[in-house]
Amino acid sequence: MKIATCNVNGVNGRLPVLVRWLEEEQPDIAVLQELKAPQEKFPEKTIRDLGYDVVWHGQKSWNGVAMLSRVGEIHETRRGLPGDPDPAQSRYIEAAVNGLLIAGLYLPNGNPRPGPKFDYKLLWFERLIEHAADLLASGAPVVLAGDFNVMPTELDVYKPERWLDDALFAPEVRAAFFRLLEQGWTDALRTMHPDETIYTFWDYFRNAYGRNAGLRIDHLLLSPSLADRLVDAQVDRQVRGWEKTSDHAPTWIELADAKPARRKQK
DNA sequence: ATGGCACATTATATGTGA
């Protein structure tokens, strides 16, 4: 089963890119971020016509998250984090799909640092860490996927020294990411590619994509039972080269089928 | 330190992103 995350940077403005990617790569489950569309303006019919069930949490102008599935119905379990510091911002959606619990998230950018936006990022991160602990404690097979707006290590940023004061690479933000991982989550991309330079984002300026001046900020984190089923993790970096594309490339994992439950011996 | 680009908005400039 292939599970993908993509920050689409405007679901309507970039709908042709999204449709082409879904047709070519056919992810079984996908989470999307930065819809930049109010609830009533989500292109539901286009997505359903491609064979996907879909739920979404829209917001005018900014943020907005969605989940797509072509492997069975989506059973939404929550939208918004418990104790969300600003419920008006649509940044979290969670659902049971095909035997998995999938969380799609869009962590705040947090720039400029210092400032109220950075404080909000840290607060949101703390709420996520608390909720993630509950998800792990449930024992369910969970995928936490989305745009985390964090480069975890120096390997994840083209010029680390230039990003030290940025909200995406600040020490306290990276520390929060590692506190989350230490609960027992597996960073799927990094686990499959331990030493590789692998990015998920290239900005629109200065030919960043052409120069491979990128960042790895989109992540898929796996609960322990799913980490055992991880067989591949990749970035569809070619999508970043298409016309009118997002500045993020789709990122995905492949999970092996769950082992059937052991039958009792007679 | 700045600005480069691109999205959205009861737009024609501004806020936001990373």
Side-chain angles (χ1 to χ4, degrees):
Chain A
M1 182 160 38
K2 184 169 169 179
I3 303 168
T5 178
C6 187
N7 178 319
V8 295
N9 191 8
V11 71
N12 288 306
R14 305 191 190 281
L15 192 56
V17 169
L18 175 62
V19 168
R20 178 179 169 192
W21 170 67
L22 290 170
E23 286 177 337
E24 290 189 7
E25 300 300 330
Q26 304 208 0
D28 294 305
I29 299 169
V31 292
L32 310 180
Q33 305 86 39
E34 272 210 273
L35 303 178
K36 292 185 172 178
Q39 190 67 13
E40 64 276 14
K41 291 273 179 65
F42 183 85
E44 178 179 9
K45 185 175 189 314
T46 303
I47 300 299
R48 290 198 184 276
D49 286 349
L50 290 168
Y52 285 93
D53 190 21
V54 60
V55 294
W56 69 98
H57 189 196
Q59 182 186 332
K60 195 171 86 171
S61 301
W62 298 304
N63 310 315
V65 288
M67 190 180 305
L68 285 58
S69 163
R70 58 183 200 102
V71 287
E73 268 182 41
I74 300 171
H75 305 277
E76 186 173 317
T77 50
R78 73 166 29 256
R79 54 180 60 195
L81 283 172
D84 199 319
D86 180 3
Q89 300 192 25
S90 300
R91 297 182 174 276
Y92 187 89
I93 196 159
E94 181 188 291
V97 190
N98 196 11
L100 304 177
L101 190 66
I102 310 286
L105 64 97
Y106 177 42
L107 214 133
N109 174 307
N111 278 307
R113 169 183 177 267
K117 289 188 175 178
F118 188 69
D119 296 341
Y120 173 66
K121 179 177 196 168
L122 293 180
L123 206 53
W124 204 94
F125 218 145
E126 291 307 318
R127 292 300 183 181
L128 176 64
I129 287 170
E130 279 185 35
H131 184 55
D134 290 343
L135 292 177
L136 276 186
S138 77
V142 186
V143 182
L144 286 185
D147 177 358
F148 284 69
N149 270 316
V150 183
M151 295 87 87
T153 76
E154 297 199 340
L155 194 53
D156 302 314
V157 49
Y158 65 101
K159 275 200 176 163
E161 68 278 5
R162 285 204 189 166
W163 287 84
L164 289 171
D165 293 328
D166 191 278
L168 279 70
F169 198 53
E172 55 271 54
V173 174
R174 293 161 64 190
F177 186 81
F178 282 99
R179 268 195 290 129
L180 175 61
L181 282 189
E182 281 161 11
Q183 291 178 338
W185 301 95
T186 293
D187 176 346
L189 263 285
R190 188 47 80 207
T191 299
M192 292 302 296
H193 308 278
D195 307 309
E196 202 175 312
T197 296
I198 181 165
Y199 299 138
T200 65
F201 167 93
W202 298 261
D203 81 27
Y204 291 117
F205 320 135
R206 297 163 300 206
N207 189 31
Y209 180 61
R211 295 186 296 120
N212 197 28
L215 310 172
R216 190 175 75 95
I217 54 178
D218 300 277
H219 306 298
L220 296 120
L221 307 188
L222 309 180
S223 65
S225 67
L226 288 184
D228 292 339
R229 291 167 55 187
L230 178 64
V231 292
D232 200 2
Q234 298 291 346
V235 177
D236 288 330
R237 73 190 310 289
Q238 78 281 1
V239 176
R240 181 62 182 80
W242 296 352
E243 290 291 317
K244 299 281 287 176
T245 199
S246 170
D247 37 9
H248 297 250
T251 304
W252 54 268
I253 56 170
E254 176 73 33
L255 297 178
D257 290 341
K259 281 186 185 153
R262 219 164 200 232
R263 295 262 173 89
K264 274 186 185 166
Q265 300 281 339
K266 272 198 173 170

